[in-house]
Amino acid sequence: MYHIQYLNSKIVNYFNEKLDGYIKNNYRYTKSKVETVNGFQTPNIVKEIKPEIKKQLLNGLFKTSDLIHLHLIHYNKGGRQGLHIHPHEVYSFILYLNNADGDTIFNFKDRTIIEKPKKGKIIFFHAKIPHKAKTSLKYKRVLVGAIETKKRYPGY
């Protein structure tokens, strides 16, 4: 599965405001190694998000009960994400919260796809696809989600 949609600015602004509050209160992930380099990353906030927001975020592709993890990232100047997969979920997504640099690279078995961060763009993908974020100099912001479901899409 590799699917792109665009969400309205109300949802994007909601998550930008959440991220601003978490940064202000220094609510960051501190327990173990993460692939985020030179950035601020929250712990799992899925329980803090209202069901109607989750429903709009998933836009009919998945049930809100399938959403098991959400975290926000603010990349500082020079921030990036190392190559990784999400081994404990079936599908993942990235929602870009601003227009920025620091393209996301997806390494499929037979091709590479490069996505430019565009505010409101959400990319759903199979969690085992290796991906990374190139270095950002424009303070890129994203929401990352994890989905566990019995629903299967053909592909990778």
Side-chain angles (χ1 to χ4, degrees):
M1 173 193 206
Y2 188 85
H3 178 77
I4 297 174
Q5 293 180 306
Y6 288 85
L7 300 181
N8 67 47
S9 60
K10 182 179 175 186
I11 293 295
V12 174
N13 293 340
Y14 171 85
F15 284 108
N16 268 314
E17 289 172 14
K18 287 289 233 187
L19 181 52
D20 289 340
Y22 293 140
I23 291 170
K24 181 180 177 185
N25 294 313
N26 200 32
Y27 184 59
R28 68 180 330 128
Y29 190 82
T30 59
K31 293 183 182 173
S32 64
K33 183 182 182 294
V34 294
E35 296 299 329
T36 300
V37 176
N38 198 21
F40 177 95
Q41 180 174 319
T42 69
N44 188 0
I45 61 168
V46 73
K47 292 180 180 175
E48 300 175 30
I49 307 304
K50 297 176 185 176
E52 61 268 19
I53 298 293
K54 292 177 187 177
K55 186 175 180 181
Q56 292 176 55
L57 183 65
L58 298 175
N59 203 19
L61 282 177
F62 300 98
K63 299 182 291 184
T64 58
S65 59
D66 294 336
L67 188 59
I68 60 169
H69 188 97
L70 287 171
H71 66 267
L72 290 156
I73 301 173
H74 173 92
Y75 293 95
N76 297 314
K77 191 173 184 178
R80 62 183 170 79
Q81 189 84 208
L83 186 67
H84 64 286
I85 62 169
H86 301 164
H88 304 294
E89 58 211 54
V90 179
Y91 300 106
S92 300
F93 66 81
I94 300 169
L95 170 62
Y96 298 105
L97 302 177
N98 65 335
N99 295 321
D101 58 351
D103 298 348
T104 304
I105 311 296
F106 293 92
N107 293 323
F108 290 82
K109 291 177 182 174
D110 62 343
R111 69 194 184 287
T112 298
I113 295 178
I114 300 171
E115 293 289 352
K116 300 215 174 290
K118 182 171 167 71
K119 186 176 182 177
K121 181 195 289 188
I122 186 167
I123 304 169
F124 294 90
F125 58 97
H126 193 286
K128 307 307 183 277
I129 298 171
H131 58 285
K132 67 180 181 178
K134 292 174 78 174
T135 301
S136 175
L137 300 175
K138 296 182 180 176
Y139 306 100
K140 182 170 79 171
R141 297 164 70 99
V142 298
L143 172 71
V144 178
I147 298 165
E148 181 58 52
T149 181
K150 293 182 183 191
K151 185 176 185 178
R152 296 291 188 261
Y153 289 85
Y156 190 83

